[in-house]
Amino acid sequence: QVQLVESGGGLVQAGSSLRLSCVVSGRTFSNYAMGWFRQAPGKEREFVAAISWSGGIPYYADSVKGRFTISRDNAKTTVYLQMNSLQPEDTAAYYCAASRTVMTTTPNDYDYWGQGTQVTVSS
């Protein structure tokens, strides 16, 4: 069984930064592509960023490109999401997810999910 635990969320002002972490346990972390998604109240879960198993091919949603950076440390079995220049529209619960197959932007393609961490950005 694979477990994902997110941390690092919080309440910040617009323009601030946060770094989310997701620790993965249970299987060989380096075999999985990893993704970050977010879900605001009343909205569907949306893709934020993804990274391949090797860490060499990050991909971002247009809404966060240039502000967010996804990275991974396979030795620590952890994936990170560095979020800079946060805006109120970034407010959401953020989830990390693991895919056994491919790096993808589609939530249904991911096999394992964390419980989420809340990010709230005040104006």
PDB file of all heavy atoms in Angstrom, residues 32-46:
ATOM      1  N   TYR A  32       7.417   6.113  -9.556  1.00  0.00           N
ATOM      2  CA  TYR A  32       6.166   6.824  -9.778  1.00  0.00           C
ATOM      3  C   TYR A  32       6.395   8.213 -10.347  1.00  0.00           C
ATOM      4  O   TYR A  32       7.279   8.944  -9.903  1.00  0.00           O
ATOM      5  CB  TYR A  32       5.398   6.977  -8.473  1.00  0.00           C
ATOM      6  CG  TYR A  32       4.926   5.676  -7.886  1.00  0.00           C
ATOM      7  CD1 TYR A  32       5.688   4.990  -6.952  1.00  0.00           C
ATOM      8  CD2 TYR A  32       3.715   5.125  -8.273  1.00  0.00           C
ATOM      9  CE1 TYR A  32       5.252   3.791  -6.413  1.00  0.00           C
ATOM     10  CE2 TYR A  32       3.274   3.932  -7.751  1.00  0.00           C
ATOM     11  CZ  TYR A  32       4.047   3.275  -6.815  1.00  0.00           C
ATOM     12  OH  TYR A  32       3.614   2.090  -6.299  1.00  0.00           O
ATOM     13  N   ALA A  33       5.564   8.576 -11.303  1.00  0.00           N
ATOM     14  CA  ALA A  33       5.419   9.981 -11.655  1.00  0.00           C
ATOM     15  C   ALA A  33       4.548  10.610 -10.578  1.00  0.00           C
ATOM     16  O   ALA A  33       3.657   9.956 -10.026  1.00  0.00           O
ATOM     17  CB  ALA A  33       4.765  10.133 -13.023  1.00  0.00           C
ATOM     18  N   MET A  34       4.812  11.867 -10.273  1.00  0.00           N
ATOM     19  CA  MET A  34       4.100  12.534  -9.189  1.00  0.00           C
ATOM     20  C   MET A  34       3.414  13.792  -9.700  1.00  0.00           C
ATOM     21  O   MET A  34       3.925  14.477 -10.583  1.00  0.00           O
ATOM     22  CB  MET A  34       5.070  12.913  -8.071  1.00  0.00           C
ATOM     23  CG  MET A  34       5.783  11.732  -7.435  1.00  0.00           C
ATOM     24  SD  MET A  34       4.646  10.603  -6.603  1.00  0.00           S
ATOM     25  CE  MET A  34       3.946  11.672  -5.347  1.00  0.00           C
ATOM     26  N   GLY A  35       2.274  14.086  -9.116  1.00  0.00           N
ATOM     27  CA  GLY A  35       1.550  15.279  -9.516  1.00  0.00           C
ATOM     28  C   GLY A  35       0.989  16.024  -8.319  1.00  0.00           C
ATOM     29  O   GLY A  35       0.818  15.447  -7.241  1.00  0.00           O
ATOM     30  N   TRP A  36       0.737  17.290  -8.522  1.00  0.00           N
ATOM     31  CA  TRP A  36       0.013  18.119  -7.552  1.00  0.00           C
ATOM     32  C   TRP A  36      -1.275  18.603  -8.222  1.00  0.00           C
ATOM     33  O   TRP A  36      -1.256  19.044  -9.379  1.00  0.00           O
ATOM     34  CB  TRP A  36       0.833  19.332  -7.124  1.00  0.00           C
ATOM     35  CG  TRP A  36       1.928  19.026  -6.160  1.00  0.00           C
ATOM     36  CD1 TRP A  36       3.243  18.824  -6.442  1.00  0.00           C
ATOM     37  CD2 TRP A  36       1.807  18.899  -4.735  1.00  0.00           C
ATOM     38  NE1 TRP A  36       3.955  18.576  -5.298  1.00  0.00           N
ATOM     39  CE2 TRP A  36       3.096  18.619  -4.226  1.00  0.00           C
ATOM     40  CE3 TRP A  36       0.753  18.995  -3.839  1.00  0.00           C
ATOM     41  CZ2 TRP A  36       3.348  18.439  -2.864  1.00  0.00           C
ATOM     42  CZ3 TRP A  36       0.988  18.817  -2.492  1.00  0.00           C
ATOM     43  CH2 TRP A  36       2.273  18.541  -2.010  1.00  0.00           C
ATOM     44  N   PHE A  37      -2.347  18.526  -7.467  1.00  0.00           N
ATOM     45  CA  PHE A  37      -3.645  19.011  -7.905  1.00  0.00           C
ATOM     46  C   PHE A  37      -4.215  19.907  -6.816  1.00  0.00           C
ATOM     47  O   PHE A  37      -3.735  19.888  -5.674  1.00  0.00           O
ATOM     48  CB  PHE A  37      -4.601  17.833  -8.147  1.00  0.00           C
ATOM     49  CG  PHE A  37      -4.212  16.982  -9.325  1.00  0.00           C
ATOM     50  CD1 PHE A  37      -3.203  16.037  -9.216  1.00  0.00           C
ATOM     51  CD2 PHE A  37      -4.855  17.121 -10.547  1.00  0.00           C
ATOM     52  CE1 PHE A  37      -2.832  15.254 -10.294  1.00  0.00           C
ATOM     53  CE2 PHE A  37      -4.504  16.338 -11.635  1.00  0.00           C
ATOM     54  CZ  PHE A  37      -3.493  15.407 -11.503  1.00  0.00           C
ATOM     55  N   ARG A  38      -5.227  20.662  -7.158  1.00  0.00           N
ATOM     56  CA  ARG A  38      -5.892  21.480  -6.160  1.00  0.00           C
ATOM     57  C   ARG A  38      -7.385  21.504  -6.413  1.00  0.00           C
ATOM     58  O   ARG A  38      -7.841  21.293  -7.537  1.00  0.00           O
ATOM     59  CB  ARG A  38      -5.321  22.903  -6.134  1.00  0.00           C
ATOM     60  CG  ARG A  38      -5.574  23.721  -7.393  1.00  0.00           C
ATOM     61  CD  ARG A  38      -4.816  25.030  -7.325  1.00  0.00           C
ATOM     62  NE  ARG A  38      -5.056  25.861  -8.492  1.00  0.00           N
ATOM     63  CZ  ARG A  38      -4.414  27.013  -8.727  1.00  0.00           C
ATOM     64  NH1 ARG A  38      -3.505  27.456  -7.872  1.00  0.00           N
ATOM     65  NH2 ARG A  38      -4.703  27.717  -9.815  1.00  0.00           N
ATOM     66  N   GLN A  39      -8.118  21.769  -5.347  1.00  0.00           N
ATOM     67  CA  GLN A  39      -9.568  21.814  -5.454  1.00  0.00           C
ATOM     68  C   GLN A  39     -10.095  22.896  -4.537  1.00  0.00           C
ATOM     69  O   GLN A  39      -9.907  22.849  -3.319  1.00  0.00           O
ATOM     70  CB  GLN A  39     -10.181  20.467  -5.103  1.00  0.00           C
ATOM     71  CG  GLN A  39     -11.673  20.396  -5.374  1.00  0.00           C
ATOM     72  CD  GLN A  39     -12.194  18.972  -5.323  1.00  0.00           C
ATOM     73  OE1 GLN A  39     -11.566  18.066  -4.780  1.00  0.00           O
ATOM     74  NE2 GLN A  39     -13.350  18.744  -5.918  1.00  0.00           N
ATOM     75  N   ALA A  40     -10.750  23.865  -5.141  1.00  0.00           N
ATOM     76  CA  ALA A  40     -11.397  24.935  -4.387  1.00  0.00           C
ATOM     77  C   ALA A  40     -12.845  24.538  -4.117  1.00  0.00           C
ATOM     78  O   ALA A  40     -13.412  23.724  -4.847  1.00  0.00           O
ATOM     79  CB  ALA A  40     -11.324  26.236  -5.168  1.00  0.00           C
ATOM     80  N   PRO A  41     -13.456  25.103  -3.102  1.00  0.00           N
ATOM     81  CA  PRO A  41     -14.851  24.760  -2.784  1.00  0.00           C
ATOM     82  C   PRO A  41     -15.768  24.982  -3.974  1.00  0.00           C
ATOM     83  O   PRO A  41     -15.721  26.032  -4.619  1.00  0.00           O
ATOM     84  CB  PRO A  41     -15.187  25.721  -1.639  1.00  0.00           C
ATOM     85  CG  PRO A  41     -13.883  26.013  -0.999  1.00  0.00           C
ATOM     86  CD  PRO A  41     -12.883  26.028  -2.114  1.00  0.00           C
ATOM     87  N   GLY A  42     -16.569  23.982  -4.292  1.00  0.00           N
ATOM     88  CA  GLY A  42     -17.529  24.097  -5.383  1.00  0.00           C
ATOM     89  C   GLY A  42     -16.934  23.919  -6.768  1.00  0.00           C
ATOM     90  O   GLY A  42     -17.652  24.058  -7.763  1.00  0.00           O
ATOM     91  N   LYS A  43     -15.649  23.607  -6.825  1.00  0.00           N
ATOM     92  CA  LYS A  43     -15.002  23.439  -8.129  1.00  0.00           C
ATOM     93  C   LYS A  43     -14.430  22.039  -8.260  1.00  0.00           C
ATOM     94  O   LYS A  43     -14.216  21.338  -7.269  1.00  0.00           O
ATOM     95  CB  LYS A  43     -13.893  24.481  -8.304  1.00  0.00           C
ATOM     96  CG  LYS A  43     -14.396  25.912  -8.371  1.00  0.00           C
ATOM     97  CD  LYS A  43     -13.279  26.872  -8.710  1.00  0.00           C
ATOM     98  CE  LYS A  43     -13.787  28.296  -8.844  1.00  0.00           C
ATOM     99  NZ  LYS A  43     -12.687  29.236  -9.212  1.00  0.00           N
ATOM    100  N   GLU A  44     -14.158  21.664  -9.502  1.00  0.00           N
ATOM    101  CA  GLU A  44     -13.548  20.370  -9.750  1.00  0.00           C
ATOM    102  C   GLU A  44     -12.063  20.406  -9.405  1.00  0.00           C
ATOM    103  O   GLU A  44     -11.431  21.460  -9.399  1.00  0.00           O
ATOM    104  CB  GLU A  44     -13.733  19.976 -11.214  1.00  0.00           C
ATOM    105  CG  GLU A  44     -15.164  19.705 -11.594  1.00  0.00           C
ATOM    106  CD  GLU A  44     -15.286  19.174 -13.018  1.00  0.00           C
ATOM    107  OE1 GLU A  44     -14.272  19.161 -13.729  1.00  0.00           O
ATOM    108  OE2 GLU A  44     -16.397  18.772 -13.404  1.00  0.00           O
ATOM    109  N   ARG A  45     -11.540  19.227  -9.149  1.00  0.00           N
ATOM    110  CA  ARG A  45     -10.106  19.125  -8.899  1.00  0.00           C
ATOM    111  C   ARG A  45      -9.354  19.452 -10.190  1.00  0.00           C
ATOM    112  O   ARG A  45      -9.687  18.942 -11.262  1.00  0.00           O
ATOM    113  CB  ARG A  45      -9.763  17.720  -8.419  1.00  0.00           C
ATOM    114  CG  ARG A  45      -8.362  17.563  -7.895  1.00  0.00           C
ATOM    115  CD  ARG A  45      -8.207  16.270  -7.121  1.00  0.00           C
ATOM    116  NE  ARG A  45      -9.053  16.253  -5.935  1.00  0.00           N
ATOM    117  CZ  ARG A  45      -8.972  15.306  -4.987  1.00  0.00           C
ATOM    118  NH1 ARG A  45      -8.086  14.327  -5.100  1.00  0.00           N
ATOM    119  NH2 ARG A  45      -9.771  15.340  -3.944  1.00  0.00           N
ATOM    120  N   GLU A  46      -8.340  20.290 -10.064  1.00  0.00           N
ATOM    121  CA  GLU A  46      -7.609  20.719 -11.256  1.00  0.00           C
ATOM    122  C   GLU A  46      -6.117  20.434 -11.128  1.00  0.00           C
ATOM    123  O   GLU A  46      -5.548  20.471 -10.028  1.00  0.00           O
ATOM    124  CB  GLU A  46      -7.831  22.212 -11.531  1.00  0.00           C
ATOM    125  CG  GLU A  46      -7.241  23.143 -10.527  1.00  0.00           C
ATOM    126  CD  GLU A  46      -7.300  24.603 -10.967  1.00  0.00           C
ATOM    127  OE1 GLU A  46      -7.629  24.881 -12.137  1.00  0.00           O
ATOM    128  OE2 GLU A  46      -6.988  25.471 -10.125  1.00  0.00           O
TER     129      GLU A  46
END
